[in-house]
């Protein structure tokens, strides 16, 4: 028996991803429009994170389990890779991304969120 992934507490997950879509997207848009030359890699990565968050919001809303799983995997890999690189090579990241230092600027929510999402999808089988 399958249960809708966007039902019950899944709605809260959709809301958080929607909020992060707006936060990361707005931040990236302002940074790219006003200071892109200062940290093009960081600002592009923030825009990519926003795109992943938008994709996750839509996938969860529509109940697209496979797409959500792929996007959660991309998000988790991004947080871990960018988080690690931003700590090891700070010169490559003169400004923070959403995923820098494992999402420290966002209270580490970007690190925890994909784990919660994966847990939720597993429970909703």
């Amino acid at each position: 028996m399958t249960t809708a992934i966007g039902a019950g507490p899944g709605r809260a997950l959709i809301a958080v991803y929607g909020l992060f879509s707006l936060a990361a997207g707005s931040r990236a848009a302002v940074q790219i429009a006003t200071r892109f030359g200062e940290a093009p890699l960081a600002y592009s990565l923030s825009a990519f994170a926003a795109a992943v968050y938008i994709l996750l919001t839509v996938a969860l809303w529509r109940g697209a389990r496979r797409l959500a799983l792929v996007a959660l995997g991309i998000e988790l890999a991004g947080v871990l890779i960018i988080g690690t690189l931003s700590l090891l090579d700070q010169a490559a990241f003169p400004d923070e991304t959403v995923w820098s230092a494992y999402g420290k600027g966002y209270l580490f929510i970007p690190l925890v969120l994909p784990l919660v999402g994966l847990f939720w999808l597993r429970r909703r089988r």
Side-chain angles (χ1 to χ4, degrees):
M1 179 175 174
T2 59
T3 307
I5 58 177
R11 290 181 185 163
L13 193 59
I14 293 168
V16 171
Y17 271 114
L19 180 64
F20 266 73
S21 297
L22 290 172
S26 299
R27 176 182 181 167
V30 169
Q31 290 171 325
I32 288 170
T34 61
R35 307 179 300 180
F36 186 72
E38 294 175 21
L41 176 62
Y43 302 152
S44 297
L45 288 170
S46 286
F48 177 74
V52 171
Y53 292 144
I54 291 167
L55 180 63
L56 273 162
T57 303
V58 172
L60 292 169
W61 180 269
R62 292 184 171 228
R65 178 182 298 281
R66 285 187 193 165
L67 181 58
L69 283 170
V70 169
L72 286 165
I74 291 169
E75 178 191 9
L76 184 58
V79 171
L80 294 174
I81 292 167
I82 301 307
T84 301
L85 290 176
S86 68
L87 294 174
L88 294 177
D89 187 7
Q90 294 177 356
F93 297 91
D95 201 355
E96 290 185 350
T97 73
V98 175
W99 295 338
S100 291
Y102 308 108
K104 181 181 175 184
Y106 288 87
L107 305 173
F108 298 101
I109 294 171
L111 178 62
V112 175
L113 202 52
L115 298 173
V116 171
L118 289 168
F119 174 76
W120 178 252
L121 286 180
R122 179 141 172 85
R123 288 187 42 94
R124 295 290 110 193
R125 269 191 181 186

